[in-house]
Amino acid sequence: MNIMLFHSTYGLRPAVREAADRLRAAGHEVWTPDLFEGRTFDTVEEGMEFNESLGKDEVLKRAVLAAAPYSERGLVYAGFSLGASIAQTLALGDERARGLLLLHGTSDIAPSASVEELPVQLHVAEPDAFETDDWLSAWYLQMGRAGADVEIYRYPGVGHLYTDPGLPDYDAEAAEATWRVALGFLDTL
């Protein structure tokens, strides 16, 4: 499988490279574009401030340009938190998308979004201040109306970016469970 993996608002940290290596070890080809051009951040606030300074359109443009050379191969779009929202936007706009793997995040869905049974898997903390229950319920219904085939996995008591060993949110047990399920999902595509 060809996977385009987008980093979180923290930037292209070692955890993203480690995740890509894990996916490669499972036989996938993986690209990890650096949308922040080498900048990484120690706090979510710093990362969000930098992301906002670039602007949503610029970050999305960088993501589109990174994915474009590979999209005709039929990509699985994936990402962490902010990267998941970017992955979702690109997957819903790419008729050749093979799947969507969302780790810790989702995004708004355009009313006109339409896909043909796009396989989608979301892994998210429960509760998660960035992905509230009401938001996720509405998101799930909208994704279904758009034609996506969605699976949601919730992880009680963990922090938002629980798969990143370099952050306080890290939870080894939940991270391993996430990767086990995600790798199984990728094997079905």
Side-chain angles (χ1 to χ4, degrees), residues 1 6 14 24 58-59 64 71 78 90 107 123 127 145 157 161 168 177 184:
M1 199 57 45
F6 294 104
R24 288 181 188 111
E58 175 62 23
V59 174
V64 168
S71 67
L90 267 60
S107 184
H123 297 267
R145 279 195 289 274
L161 270 168

Side-chain angles (χ1 to χ4, degrees), residues 37-57:
E37 298 176 332
R39 299 283 307 267
T40 59
F41 302 95
D42 294 325
T43 69
V44 68
E45 293 81 13
E46 290 172 348
M48 289 172 73
E49 186 177 312
F50 181 75
N51 182 51
E52 288 171 15
S53 75
L54 290 175
K56 185 177 182 177
D57 289 344

Side-chain angles (χ1 to χ4, degrees), residues 6-7 9 35-36 47-65 81-90 92 106-111 135 139:
F6 294 104
H7 60 75
T9 196
L35 305 179
F36 290 175
M48 289 172 73
E49 186 177 312
F50 181 75
N51 182 51
E52 288 171 15
S53 75
L54 290 175
K56 185 177 182 177
D57 289 344
E58 175 62 23
V59 174
L60 192 56
K61 179 178 120 185
R62 291 177 182 190
V64 168
L65 290 172
S81 192
L82 168 70
S85 70
I86 292 166
Q88 176 187 308
T89 299
L90 267 60
L92 293 179
T106 61
S107 184
D108 294 328
I109 302 163
W135 168 263
W139 175 86

Side-chain angles (χ1 to χ4, degrees), residues 62-177:
R62 291 177 182 190
V64 168
L65 290 172
Y70 309 103
S71 67
E72 68 183 37
R73 298 181 186 197
L75 289 171
V76 172
Y77 291 92
F80 297 95
S81 192
L82 168 70
S85 70
I86 292 166
Q88 176 187 308
T89 299
L90 267 60
L92 293 179
D94 181 353
E95 63 187 26
R96 293 177 299 265
R98 299 279 305 276
L100 176 57
L101 176 60
L102 303 171
L103 302 162
H104 322 295
T106 61
S107 184
D108 294 328
I109 302 163
S112 61
S114 178
V115 293
E116 195 169 316
E117 298 178 11
L118 179 71
V120 178
Q121 193 174 84
L122 168 64
H123 297 267
V124 66
E126 181 179 25
D128 187 318
F130 296 103
E131 300 290 326
T132 65
D133 290 343
D134 288 346
W135 168 263
L136 286 175
S137 294
W139 175 86
Y140 178 81
L141 292 172
Q142 290 174 324
M143 286 294 280
R145 279 195 289 274
D149 181 13
V150 179
E151 298 176 343
I152 299 177
Y153 293 85
R154 305 291 305 267
Y155 299 85
V158 301
H160 176 68
L161 270 168
Y162 65 85
T163 59
D164 187 328
L167 296 175
D169 286 349
Y170 182 63
D171 185 292
E173 188 177 325
E176 283 308 309

